[in-house]
Amino acid sequence: MARSLSTQLRRAPTRYRPISRIAVGGMAEVWRAEASFEDGGKYEVAIKRVLPQMGQPVFRSMFEDEARLGMLLRHPNIVRVYDARDVGGTFIMVMELVDGDSLKSIIERAHQRNACMPLAMALHVGRELAAALDYVHVAEDEEGNHLGIIHRDVSPHNLLLGRDGAVKLMDFGLADASVHEHVHSEEMVGGKLGYLAPEIIMQKPVDHRIDLFGLGIVIWEMLAGRRLFQGETDADTVRNVARCEVPSLRHYNEHVPTQVDQLLQAMLAQDPDKRLPSAARIVEALDALLRRIDPDVGHKDVALVVGLHLHQKKREAPKEDLELDIEVMGLADLFQDELSAFVASVADASGGSDALDPNDFALGITSGVRSRPRPIDE
């Protein structure tokens, strides 16, 4: 039997060849890359790199925590982290490459057309995200100690949908976990303003239910064809979250059954004690709804929507126009220089550097985390 990519990355000398930059944010950038092995095997991966200007120890510590945690989480609805190491003085994570796009990109294009996501598909995507949250929220180490993981940034930005129909939660950079070496300040808000729970805005104690609230917003926005709390300014958004006034979905989408509207109202209650208490309960509720609405919905429906989205995206932004824009802006040489420098630094260091070891965790986790008996992607 062929060894898995994660097994090869842990055992075989590896060279990573960055190919193109996929995305860049305030703290890090993500590159499409190729992992090559001495036996000739090649795999496409994603490389997340801390931006060189983010060299402060606090950011480095947070990134290392994210990498360690990511290498322990093994679930079909969570982006895998295969490897992490220091390359040329900057920290990189080697991750599963999801060939598709973020839910954010997909629903933004739908909202621009005043369109909603298909009902059954939206509920299926929500169900898969809930399954990922159920896994992390109840995760334990090998000795049965609860890890206390809270994602803290559940939003369409951090949910990837693949051409193959995969639904993958990513980016645990703001997550809480009992095994983290870096402890977030109690004053730190984190997350996207429009996807925060009211208790965060009100500076009240929080727990895993803030992730479930974010999940509720994601499903609501897929089905309503509009943002829920987003205001014209950040201040407006904060006030909207604090008020937590959630209109009926049926006001914006007459095809939404009453039972779905009621579920979302329960998930988005202002008082955490009045919400559904766990991701497992949400999975059960969504499964029951899908059995009545469309028991056959699944990966094929997600794949169809992603394929249509990417085709339209390509038509609207032809490669020739993108290349012309880069030339006009005088960025072509700069981009190529940056790519060449990164390729050289990775090629020089990746084969000989020591990978970050999950065994460095304080609780001595050695082979992933335990959770409810759900399918685990090994």
Side-chain angles (χ1 to χ4, degrees):
M1 181 181 297
R3 289 181 295 175
S4 68
L5 173 57
S6 58
T7 299
Q8 289 209 55
L9 281 166
R10 300 303 302 172
R11 296 180 181 177
T14 306
R15 289 290 186 273
Y16 300 124
R17 184 175 67 87
I19 299 171
S20 61
R21 186 159 60 184
I22 299 171
V24 60
M27 291 179 56
E29 59 185 358
V30 180
W31 294 70
R32 179 186 295 268
E34 183 181 73
S36 302
F37 303 89
E38 285 189 339
D39 62 5
K42 296 180 183 293
Y43 296 87
E44 279 201 314
V45 295
I47 294 180
K48 184 175 182 179
R49 179 177 75 144
V50 175
L51 293 175
Q53 61 266 34
M54 305 300 292
Q56 299 94 325
V58 61
F59 294 119
R60 171 65 178 253
S61 178
M62 290 172 62
F63 205 79
E64 289 182 353
D65 280 341
E66 179 187 1
R68 290 191 190 94
L69 187 60
M71 284 192 287
L72 297 173
L73 299 177
R74 299 178 183 177
H75 189 276
N77 298 120
I78 296 176
V79 173
R80 286 291 305 274
V81 176
Y82 299 119
D83 190 11
R85 58 185 64 188
D86 187 292
V87 173
T90 189
F91 199 67
I92 68 169
M93 279 189 287
V94 181
M95 307 181 299
E96 173 185 8
L97 178 67
V98 179
D99 183 16
D101 209 341
S102 69
L103 179 62
K104 174 181 180 290
S105 177
I106 294 171
I107 64 175
E108 277 185 348
R109 284 176 174 268
H111 291 180
Q112 289 169 3
R113 305 191 308 272
N114 295 318
C116 306
M117 302 292 284
L119 173 62
M121 196 214 80
L123 296 180
H124 168 75
V125 169
R127 188 261 178 219
E128 299 293 272
L129 175 53
L133 293 174
D134 180 32
Y135 169 77
V136 299
H137 288 167
V138 301
E140 301 173 342
D141 68 13
E142 292 186 334
E143 298 177 357
N145 300 305
H146 184 230
L147 295 178
I149 302 172
I150 305 173
H151 187 280
R152 297 189 71 98
D153 198 12
V154 175
S155 68
H157 310 63
N158 291 327
L159 196 64
L160 297 180
L161 306 187
R163 290 179 185 270
D164 60 353
V167 179
K168 303 270 188 177
L169 176 64
M170 68 171 186
D171 200 344
F172 283 75
L174 295 176
D176 288 335
S178 61
V179 290
H180 276 353
E181 294 179 359
H182 173 78
V183 179
H184 296 307
S185 167
E186 293 183 2
E187 288 77 27
M188 189 190 79
V189 174
K192 315 293 186 299
L193 283 180
Y195 299 91
L196 298 179
E199 54 266 37
I200 298 177
I201 298 297
M202 305 301 290
Q203 296 186 325
K204 296 180 179 180
V206 302
D207 57 23
H208 69 283
R209 290 174 293 185
I210 64 173
D211 288 346
L212 307 183
F213 193 86
L215 166 61
I217 299 175
V218 170
I219 299 175
W220 193 96
E221 292 184 351
M222 283 193 287
L223 293 176
R226 66 185 295 273
R227 296 292 301 274
L228 176 54
F229 295 130
Q230 185 71 30
E232 293 186 4
T233 67
D234 287 348
D236 291 336
T237 302
V238 169
R239 283 191 288 267
N240 291 340
V241 173
R243 294 191 191 102
C244 196
E245 296 173 353
V246 181
S248 169
L249 270 173
R250 292 175 59 81
H251 178 74
Y252 301 101
N253 186 346
E254 62 182 10
H255 300 294
V256 172
T258 301
Q259 297 91 332
V260 173
D261 193 20
Q262 292 172 341
L263 172 62
L264 268 294
Q265 290 291 330
M267 292 175 64
L268 294 170
Q270 185 176 39
D271 182 353
D273 292 334
K274 294 182 179 179
R275 301 174 200 156
L276 292 183
S278 68
R281 287 280 299 276
I282 295 173
V283 170
E284 293 171 1
L286 290 172
D287 280 343
L289 287 169
L290 286 170
R291 282 195 294 270
R292 293 199 294 270
I293 295 170
D294 184 356
D296 295 324
V297 70
H299 288 64
K300 66 182 186 304
D301 302 273
V302 177
L304 177 61
V305 168
V306 172
L308 291 172
H309 163 76
L310 293 176
H311 177 71
Q312 187 65 27
K313 188 175 180 180
K314 184 176 181 180
R315 288 184 58 189
E316 294 175 2
K319 182 178 180 182
E320 295 79 16
D321 291 348
L322 290 178
E323 290 178 345
L324 179 61
D325 289 344
I326 292 175
E327 293 289 352
V328 169
M329 296 172 64
L331 297 178
D333 292 341
L334 178 62
F335 179 82
Q336 188 57 47
D337 288 346
E338 184 177 356
L339 175 59
S340 299
F342 185 38
V343 169
S345 66
V346 174
D348 288 343
S350 62
S353 299
D354 291 331
L356 186 69
D357 192 341
N359 293 328
D360 290 340
F361 260 128
L363 295 183
I365 306 168
T366 59
S367 59
V369 298
R370 301 192 307 172
S371 186
R372 297 180 186 275
R374 296 192 180 279
I376 303 300
D377 177 16
E378 296 292 353

